[in-house]
Amino acid sequence: LVLPGTTLSVAQNLCDILNWYADFLEKQQGDDYCSEGFRVLVHAELDARTADIPVVHFTADVSGGESDREARQKQIIQKRMKLPTSDDTERRTKAWVKRVLVGLGICPFTKSDVKSGQGLGDMGVPVANIMYSYSEALADGGENDVYLLMADVWGAIFDMISAGPSGKNGVSSILLSAPGFDDDFSLWAGPVFAMLESGVGAIEAEEMIGVVCFHPKYVTPDGKSWPGFGHMHSLVRLKKWCNEHTLQPHSNEIPLTDDEVAAGGAWQRRTPHAVINVLRAEQLEAAEGRRKTGELYARNVGVLVGKGGIGLDDLQSALENERSL
């Protein structure tokens, strides 16, 4: 693969991400991870014979015969046919945006399910369209489906950047649904988002975009390890903010428990399907400068699970309802 529009360092970074994923599969699941008997691992390296224009050499390690491949492909096709369609996921995600981000005010800069960036115009951020995208990649579709997901995400990002940040067709953000990952939060929040975040850094795009993690089974990080950018603040930080901004001095009010605070963080990120949210970096920076972060997150936790808040049962019921729309 010849990459005349990039640099050797960027190409090497991308090779490193691809090779990391191949190594991850081998270490996590061993030689027998593909129960159907068919496996493809792809490694990449720069061609040392070229000094100026990057040329990437791909090598596929394939195990299993033609009959294994055909059986595997048949199973994948059958699984994809059972997935919600792109229309389904867009309808459900829009309902979630209306209920949570707009209706509950969880995101103060999203005022509708079709546009975002409201309230940041004086900081140079225009209101523009939300792009709803879709990937049919499967968490259990084999190692190749993570490659498919990455291709779908970066294709959507290319479309967003090409559309520009303003005007009739301008795009402020992306909400890409991948329902094939709904039942595997650990894969979604771990390797998938690690690769996405590394990809942003690999192509030196931190000043252009940021990625944010949503999932129907989202869990608030416990703070014992760094989950990476794009995740909810840790339980430790959320609890500190809740105590600072919701408890009155010298009051007898009982603070929220760790479980309640963790739930309040998680429900800010629980969408009908696994979702990758891509935001323009200037919008992220402006929002961070405009909002009072600790106060906002403490308020959100209170609205969702605090005294007089919505409560876990109603939150779960509303999400299940959206998943069935």
Side-chain angles (χ1 to χ4, degrees), residues 206-219:
E206 297 96 333
E207 295 185 358
M208 298 176 64
I209 58 170
V211 292
V212 184
C213 180
F214 292 83
H215 194 275
K217 299 180 180 180
Y218 194 89
V219 176

Side-chain angles (χ1 to χ4, degrees), residues 30-103:
D31 293 335
D32 298 325
Y33 75 88
C34 185
S35 60
E36 289 78 5
F38 183 76
R39 181 185 77 172
V40 179
L41 290 179
V42 180
H43 290 85
E45 63 178 347
L46 283 180
D47 192 325
R49 295 171 296 179
T50 59
D52 299 322
I53 298 177
V55 177
V56 180
H57 220 24
F58 295 96
T59 304
D61 175 13
V62 181
S63 65
E66 183 65 18
S67 61
D68 294 321
R69 186 194 67 80
E70 291 177 354
R72 180 64 168 163
Q73 190 63 29
K74 183 178 180 180
Q75 288 183 344
I76 291 174
I77 291 173
Q78 291 173 343
K79 290 178 180 179
R80 287 199 176 123
M81 290 177 65
K82 296 178 181 179
L83 286 176
T85 66
S86 60
D87 289 340
D88 292 335
T89 60
E90 179 172 344
R91 181 173 60 254
R92 295 166 183 176
T93 305
K94 281 183 173 179
W96 177 84
V97 170
K98 284 183 180 179
R99 175 177 64 89
V100 176
L101 301 188
V102 179

Side-chain angles (χ1 to χ4, degrees), residues 87-263:
D87 289 340
D88 292 335
T89 60
E90 179 172 344
R91 181 173 60 254
R92 295 166 183 176
T93 305
K94 281 183 173 179
W96 177 84
V97 170
K98 284 183 180 179
R99 175 177 64 89
V100 176
L101 301 188
V102 179
L104 300 180
I106 297 301
C107 176
F109 309 113
T110 300
K111 303 298 183 184
S112 82
D113 63 340
V114 294
K115 293 181 181 293
S116 66
Q118 293 90 344
L120 298 172
D122 61 325
M123 301 182 75
V125 177
V127 175
N129 299 303
I130 300 172
M131 176 191 294
Y132 290 88
S133 299
Y134 176 83
S135 176
E136 64 176 11
L138 299 166
D140 59 351
E143 62 284 340
N144 293 337
D145 267 33
V146 170
Y147 304 142
L148 173 60
L149 175 65
M150 295 298 145
D152 290 337
V153 173
W154 285 104
I157 291 173
F158 176 82
D159 291 341
M160 179 180 80
I161 298 301
S162 299
S166 61
K168 181 179 179 180
N169 298 318
V171 175
S172 66
S173 62
I174 299 168
L175 289 171
L176 183 145
S177 296
F181 288 80
D182 286 357
D183 294 324
D184 199 336
F185 174 68
S186 61
L187 175 62
W188 186 254
V192 167
F193 256 80
M195 292 175 71
L196 282 173
E197 293 170 351
S198 296
V200 173
I203 64 171
E204 302 171 358
E206 297 96 333
E207 295 185 358
M208 298 176 64
I209 58 170
V211 292
V212 184
C213 180
F214 292 83
H215 194 275
K217 299 180 180 180
Y218 194 89
V219 176
T220 299
D222 59 15
K224 295 178 181 178
S225 61
W226 169 241
F229 293 104
H231 280 282
M232 174 55 61
H233 293 285
S234 70
L235 168 61
V236 175
R237 182 168 294 181
L238 289 176
K239 188 173 183 179
K240 175 177 179 290
W241 286 338
C242 287
N243 290 338
E244 288 177 350
H245 296 285
T246 61
L247 296 179
Q248 298 298 320
H250 312 298
S251 74
N252 294 322
E253 184 179 355
I254 300 175
L256 294 175
T257 66
D258 286 1
D259 287 346
E260 289 170 332
V261 174

